[in-house]
Amino acid sequence: SADGVPSPSAHAAGLVTGMKGAVAAVIDVQSAQVDSHAGIYGGLLMNPALALASILANLHANDGSIALPGFYDDVRVPSDAEREAFSRYPVPLKDDLDALGASAVYGEQDVEPRERQF
Protein backbone atom coordinates (compact mmCIF):
# COMPACT_ATOMS: atom_id res chain seq x y z
CA SER A 1 0.00 0.00 0.00
CA ALA A 2 1.08 3.60 -0.42
CA ASP A 3 0.88 3.92 3.36
CA GLY A 4 3.43 1.14 3.87
CA VAL A 5 3.15 -2.05 5.85
CA PRO A 6 1.20 -1.34 9.06
CA SER A 7 3.31 -2.05 12.11
CA PRO A 8 1.98 -1.80 15.64
CA SER A 9 5.19 -0.13 16.85
CA ALA A 10 8.76 0.73 15.90
CA HIS A 11 9.82 -2.48 17.64
CA ALA A 12 7.46 -4.86 15.84
CA ALA A 13 7.59 -6.07 12.28
CA GLY A 14 4.73 -5.67 9.83
CA LEU A 15 3.67 -8.62 7.72
CA VAL A 16 2.04 -8.41 4.29
CA THR A 17 -0.59 -11.13 3.90
CA GLY A 18 -2.06 -9.94 0.62
CA MET A 19 -2.63 -6.96 -1.59
CA LYS A 20 -5.89 -5.11 -2.16
CA GLY A 21 -5.40 -4.41 -5.84
CA ALA A 22 -6.50 -1.38 -7.77
CA VAL A 23 -9.24 -0.29 -10.11
CA ALA A 24 -8.68 2.39 -12.73
CA ALA A 25 -11.14 4.10 -15.02
CA VAL A 26 -11.42 7.03 -17.36
CA ILE A 27 -14.72 8.89 -17.19
CA ASP A 28 -15.58 11.38 -19.91
CA VAL A 29 -18.68 13.49 -19.31
CA GLN A 30 -20.15 15.69 -22.02
CA SER A 31 -23.57 17.31 -22.10
CA ALA A 32 -23.53 18.80 -25.59
CA GLN A 33 -21.55 18.80 -28.84
CA VAL A 34 -20.71 22.50 -28.47
CA ASP A 35 -19.70 24.66 -25.51
CA SER A 36 -22.84 25.89 -23.75
CA HIS A 37 -22.60 28.64 -21.16
CA ALA A 38 -25.06 28.93 -18.31
CA GLY A 39 -25.87 32.53 -19.18
CA ILE A 40 -27.58 31.65 -22.46
CA TYR A 41 -28.39 27.95 -22.11
CA GLY A 42 -28.50 27.57 -18.35
CA GLY A 43 -31.18 25.18 -17.17
CA LEU A 44 -31.43 23.30 -20.47
CA LEU A 45 -28.63 20.79 -19.97
CA MET A 46 -27.08 18.78 -17.17
CA ASN A 47 -23.90 20.47 -15.99
CA PRO A 48 -21.08 17.98 -16.71
CA ALA A 49 -19.43 18.74 -13.35
CA LEU A 50 -22.67 17.82 -11.55
CA ALA A 51 -23.03 14.68 -13.66
CA LEU A 52 -19.47 13.64 -12.76
CA ALA A 53 -20.12 14.36 -9.06
CA SER A 54 -23.20 12.11 -9.22
CA ILE A 55 -21.24 9.31 -10.91
CA LEU A 56 -18.51 9.49 -8.27
CA ALA A 57 -20.99 9.70 -5.40
CA ASN A 58 -22.72 6.55 -6.62
CA LEU A 59 -19.57 4.38 -6.71
CA HIS A 60 -20.40 3.41 -3.12
CA ALA A 61 -23.78 2.34 -1.74
CA ASN A 62 -25.17 3.90 1.45
CA ASP A 63 -23.87 0.93 3.47
CA GLY A 64 -20.29 1.66 2.35
CA SER A 65 -20.06 -1.24 -0.09
CA ILE A 66 -18.75 -0.67 -3.60
CA ALA A 67 -21.68 -0.35 -5.99
CA LEU A 68 -19.96 -1.40 -9.23
CA PRO A 69 -21.61 -4.48 -10.76
CA GLY A 70 -19.24 -7.44 -10.62
CA PHE A 71 -16.71 -5.70 -8.37
CA TYR A 72 -16.82 -8.41 -5.71
CA ASP A 73 -16.99 -11.37 -8.12
CA ASP A 74 -13.32 -12.36 -7.72
CA VAL A 75 -12.80 -11.14 -4.16
CA ARG A 76 -11.68 -14.00 -1.93
CA VAL A 77 -13.43 -14.11 1.44
CA PRO A 78 -10.89 -14.31 4.30
CA SER A 79 -10.69 -17.60 6.15
CA ASP A 80 -11.78 -17.89 9.78
CA ALA A 81 -8.09 -18.03 10.78
CA GLU A 82 -7.37 -14.81 8.86
CA ARG A 83 -10.34 -13.07 10.45
CA GLU A 84 -9.18 -14.20 13.88
CA ALA A 85 -5.70 -12.81 13.14
CA PHE A 86 -7.16 -9.46 12.05
CA SER A 87 -9.06 -9.25 15.33
CA ARG A 88 -5.80 -9.69 17.29
CA TYR A 89 -4.07 -6.68 15.72
CA PRO A 90 -2.45 -5.10 18.79
CA VAL A 91 -3.26 -1.46 18.11
CA PRO A 92 -6.76 -0.45 19.23
CA LEU A 93 -8.84 0.96 16.39
CA LYS A 94 -9.40 4.11 18.46
CA ASP A 95 -5.63 4.75 18.47
CA ASP A 96 -5.59 4.70 14.66
CA LEU A 97 -8.59 7.02 14.49
CA ASP A 98 -6.93 9.39 16.96
CA ALA A 99 -3.69 9.37 14.92
CA LEU A 100 -5.70 10.23 11.81
CA GLY A 101 -7.79 12.89 13.54
CA ALA A 102 -10.94 10.97 12.62
CA SER A 103 -13.95 10.07 14.75
CA ALA A 104 -15.43 7.12 12.85
CA VAL A 105 -14.57 4.43 10.33
CA TYR A 106 -16.26 4.06 6.95
CA GLY A 107 -16.87 1.02 4.79
CA GLU A 108 -18.93 -2.09 4.36
CA GLN A 109 -21.00 -2.49 7.52
CA ASP A 110 -20.87 -6.29 7.47
CA VAL A 111 -17.06 -6.36 7.32
CA GLU A 112 -14.96 -5.59 10.39
CA PRO A 113 -12.75 -2.49 10.04
CA ARG A 114 -9.45 -4.40 10.38
CA GLU A 115 -10.61 -6.86 7.71
CA ARG A 116 -11.29 -3.92 5.38
CA GLN A 117 -7.93 -2.42 6.28
CA PHE A 118 -5.80 -5.51 5.73
Side-chain angles (χ1 to χ4, degrees):
S1 124
D3 300 327
V5 176
S7 179
S9 76
H11 305 289
L15 176 65
V16 176
T17 59
M19 302 303 278
K20 294 180 188 173
V23 174
V26 174
I27 302 171
D28 293 315
V29 180
Q30 182 176 343
S31 64
Q33 295 297 316
V34 298
D35 194 15
S36 56
H37 296 280
I40 298 172
Y41 298 110
L44 293 179
L45 305 174
M46 168 66 104
N47 180 314
L50 295 177
L52 180 59
S54 177
I55 291 166
L56 296 175
N58 285 292
L59 291 177
H60 284 88
N62 289 337
D63 66 358
S65 63
I66 297 170
L68 298 173
F71 182 84
Y72 292 102
D73 289 354
D74 294 323
V75 174
R76 184 182 64 81
V77 175
S79 68
D80 290 342
E82 289 169 323
R83 285 190 167 131
E84 197 274 327
F86 298 146
S87 73
R88 288 185 288 123
Y89 187 70
V91 177
L93 190 58
K94 182 183 180 329
D95 290 0
D96 282 348
L97 292 175
D98 289 346
L100 293 167
S103 59
V105 297
Y106 175 80
E108 296 111 320
Q109 298 301 304
D110 60 338
V111 180
E112 290 297 318
R114 292 294 188 205
E115 185 178 328
R116 293 194 310 263
Q117 183 180 10
F118 301 119

